[in-house]
Amino acid sequence: MSQPNQLKLIPSVDKLLSSAAFRNTIEVYGHTRTSQSIREYLSSLRSQIRENDGHPIPAMEDIAVIITTSLDAIDTSSLRPVLNLTGTVLHTNLGRAALPSSALDAVIRTASGNTNLEFDLSEGKRGDRDDHVEKLLCELTGAEAVTVVNNNAAAVLICLNTFAFGKEVCISRGELVEIGGSFRIPEVMEKSGCSLRELGATNRTHLKDYANAVNEHTGLLMKVHTSNYEIRGFTQEVSYEALARLAKESDVPFLADLGSGTLVNLEHYGLEHEPTVQEVLKAGTDVVTFSGDKLLGGPQSGIIAGRKDLIEQVKNNPLKRALRVDKMTIAALSEVLKLYKHPESLTRELPTIRHLARRPEEIRSISETVLPAFTESAGDKATVSIIPSASQIGSGALPLDQLPSFSIQIKPISERDSALQQLARSFRDMPVPVVGRLQDGALLFDVRTLDECALLIDQLEHFAWP
Ligand SMILES: *Cc1c(COP(=O)(O)O)cnc(C)c1O
């Protein structure tokens, strides 16, 4: 088979490396990386030419730009801070909870050297990393014992595997939830070695459904807080108290996955009631699991709290080692928990609670602070105004609860959808990307979660409107 003619015209690696066009690239990235990158580029260029003999061969200067851009991109950190103005306070794709400054300081202190992570300083012996948060968590939740793993999905997995491996788990059909990102209760059950015993109907489950299902194969009764949807209308679910009683009579443990799990009564902040960890444990639930970075407002982690003998079993499960948290998480979590000992200061000190509790008047005043910068920057490219809007908690908590808020609304002069998309994209291209949401033909920036007004105003001064 004859070679396409174009192939013969491709410059060699050596020729490119010795050309003036590459001098700067080699100076910045070194000979080895540059030649490796050239080789990869030429190989993909060859395949494109084999597919299409007419494919053009860029000039050496253009090849140098392509190579330099790709090396630049590799060396630029892809993980960047962004401003979350989507209106979803706990946005999973944007990294959920922002940590308070005391937690950040603790992370730096702990991560920059060695710590007594698993070392008992008074005895000079091996300790347990859970020790640094267990006392605080027991005090705050009323649990006898606590252990912490990498996230709440891990907490559910290890609990199922510990309490019901090879056995049946009784759970209501209405609670077989899927959390965004492919965490489905039935699938986690299978992976943890348990079999699912679905009870009742999607909308209604009764105590007798559980009572009839319990037999010698039952390993666990489970209740999952339906955190990202709500079934309304003709519904019936069984209370924590009733299930706890049945579990005791049947001599099987009762596990509740709270998902978000809050330590404070959200009604204090004008939100709807969400069962607190304390309430659910007080109802007699043996073990509860909840996330560290949802309503708690801490680092990514999964907290398992409850009866001492059961928590001990979880700690002794070999999976615990695979799912354990690192020292930075322990350091941050411990500081966040300390804030809960002074609940009156949470709205000041803890970003998640501060954002959730923000009153509409305050949000309106934030939007008035940034409005002039938007208006001035937009010029005649767009109309800018403040509109009432609704934020949500996110990460599954109180899915139907809409929090009254205010947003900066931007409407490009051109009514084409592409103009709106381009506008949203330009804001995402800012040095600190600003992420909003599209609604009713406009770009909305919900300022409930905005703490960095000066940064945003400064970015707007240098913003090139599309
Ligand atoms: C969010 C959630 C999980 C998963 O928690 P992660 O911390 O995201 O791993 C599990 N169960 C419920 C009910 C949840 O809401």
Side-chain angles (χ1 to χ4, degrees):
M1 208 175 93
S2 74
Q3 290 280 322
N5 287 331
Q6 286 281 89
L7 280 181
K8 298 187 196 120
L9 301 176
I10 295 180
S12 71
V13 177
D14 285 340
K15 187 161 179 206
L16 288 169
L17 280 172
S18 56
S19 80
F22 273 89
R23 197 170 302 142
N24 190 41
T25 318
I26 294 170
E27 212 172 284
V28 177
Y29 292 105
H31 195 274
T32 315
R33 280 186 81 190
T34 309
S35 62
Q36 176 64 25
S37 185
I38 292 178
R39 247 176 237 116
E40 284 162 18
Y41 171 73
L42 293 184
S43 138
S44 84
L45 184 61
R46 270 184 222 106
S47 5
Q48 280 170 321
I49 291 176
R50 280 196 198 94
E51 271 173 31
N52 166 20
D53 195 16
H55 192 89
I57 296 174
M60 287 212 268
E61 291 71 26
D62 295 332
I63 298 181
V65 170
I66 295 170
I67 301 286
T68 311
T69 312
S70 81
L71 287 168
D72 282 348
I74 293 169
D75 281 17
T76 313
S77 168
S78 83
L79 191 61
R80 296 161 60 192
V82 307
L83 292 187
N84 167 22
L85 304 185
T86 58
T88 300
V89 177
L90 293 165
H91 199 301
T92 298
N93 304 141
L94 299 179
R96 289 193 190 157
L99 293 178
S101 56
S102 58
L104 298 176
D105 293 343
V107 168
I108 292 171
R109 272 199 312 275
T110 316
S112 48
N114 286 119
T115 69
N116 59 333
L117 179 64
E118 292 185 349
F119 187 68
D120 183 333
L121 287 170
S122 58
E123 303 281 330
K125 290 193 310 211
R126 194 198 154 96
D128 181 346
R129 63 183 67 205
D130 284 336
D131 290 348
H132 305 284
V133 286
E134 186 167 8
K135 263 209 203 76
L136 266 169
L137 273 164
C138 287
E139 195 184 311
L140 292 167
T141 62
E144 289 174 10
V146 169
T147 186
V148 182
V149 288
N150 191 38
N151 52 33
N152 187 41
V156 173
L157 176 79
I158 196 171
C159 284
L160 288 169
N161 180 269
T162 306
F163 306 136
F165 183 79
K167 296 189 182 153
E168 287 178 4
V169 178
C170 295
I171 180 171
S172 161
R173 272 205 175 83
E175 296 171 3
L176 296 175
V177 306
E178 173 182 312
I179 319 290
S182 79
F183 177 88
R184 283 184 173 165
I185 290 288
E187 289 164 13
V188 175
M189 264 194 211
E190 197 185 315
K191 286 290 178 197
S192 55
C194 314
S195 51
L196 170 67
R197 184 76 193 262
E198 300 173 44
L199 310 174
T202 305
N203 57 335
R204 289 171 72 86
T205 306
H206 307 270
L207 185 60
K208 65 174 192 293
D209 294 320
Y210 292 89
N212 292 339
V214 174
N215 61 33
E216 71 275 21
H217 306 297
T218 307
L220 189 67
L221 302 190
M222 184 176 186
K223 190 167 169 65
V224 177
H225 186 54
T226 56
S227 53
N228 54 1
Y229 66 99
E230 208 172 288
I231 300 177
R232 286 195 171 177
F234 185 56
T235 61
Q236 163 83 39
E237 63 173 312
V238 182
S239 68
Y240 291 104
E241 284 83 0
L243 280 176
R245 236 177 288 123
L246 175 65
K248 215 152 262 126
E249 284 160 23
S250 320
D251 201 23
V252 291
F254 171 38
L255 170 73
D257 173 20
L258 291 184
S260 224
T262 173
L263 298 180
V264 288
N265 184 350
L266 295 177
E267 286 165 315
H268 290 321
Y269 310 117
L271 305 173
E272 258 177 57
H273 185 77
E274 163 109 359
T276 65
V277 176
Q278 300 88 304
E279 283 165 13
V280 174
L281 284 170
K282 207 160 172 213
T285 308
D286 295 308
V287 175
V288 303
T289 61
F290 57 101
S291 289
D293 58 345
K294 291 186 183 171
L295 284 171
L296 190 76
Q300 181 191 297
S301 48
I303 298 163
I304 308 171
R307 242 169 65 190
K308 195 170 176 57
D309 59 321
L310 296 171
I311 298 298
E312 207 54 42
Q313 288 177 29
V314 175
K315 289 190 185 206
N316 291 330
N317 185 330
L319 277 178
K320 174 70 194 333
R321 169 61 197 255
L323 303 177
R324 72 184 185 185
V325 288
D326 81 331
K327 58 184 176 181
M328 292 188 273
T329 304
I330 301 254
L333 183 59
S334 150
E335 292 303 320
V336 168
L337 294 170
K338 280 186 207 161
L339 296 179
Y340 278 91
K341 292 182 57 162
H342 308 280
E344 67 288 347
S345 63
L346 283 174
T347 50
R348 203 176 55 241
E349 306 287 345
L350 191 60
T352 300
I353 299 290
R354 181 168 71 240
H355 294 156
L356 289 174
R358 247 179 201 160
R359 312 300 311 162
E361 312 84 74
E362 191 196 343
I363 303 173
R364 187 168 179 115
S365 130
I366 297 170
S367 63
E368 281 161 1
T369 306
V370 293
L371 181 71
F374 273 100
T375 314
E376 209 162 292
S377 169
D380 56 5
K381 298 276 177 71
T383 57
V384 180
S385 48
I386 294 172
I387 60 158
S389 62
S391 347
Q392 54 181 14
I393 302 180
S395 283
L398 302 175
L400 303 183
D401 211 19
Q402 301 267 307
L403 319 177
S405 187
F406 284 96
S407 291
I408 300 286
Q409 183 198 53
I410 307 174
K411 282 194 169 157
I413 294 302
S414 156
E415 285 185 4
R416 285 201 313 273
D417 184 54
S418 60
L420 190 57
Q421 299 289 346
Q422 181 53 48
L423 182 65
R425 204 210 137 99
S426 300
F427 274 96
R428 294 199 304 271
D429 282 341
M430 280 182 155
V432 176
V434 180
V435 188
R437 70 175 193 271
L438 299 180
Q439 190 176 300
D440 304 329
L443 178 58
L444 251 55
F445 292 124
D446 186 328
V447 296
R448 169 183 291 278
T449 44
L450 180 60
D451 292 324
E452 305 84 349
C453 290
L455 168 78
L456 180 60
I457 291 170
D458 184 56
Q459 293 205 127
L460 283 165
E461 273 172 26
H462 303 101
F463 184 48
W465 284 73

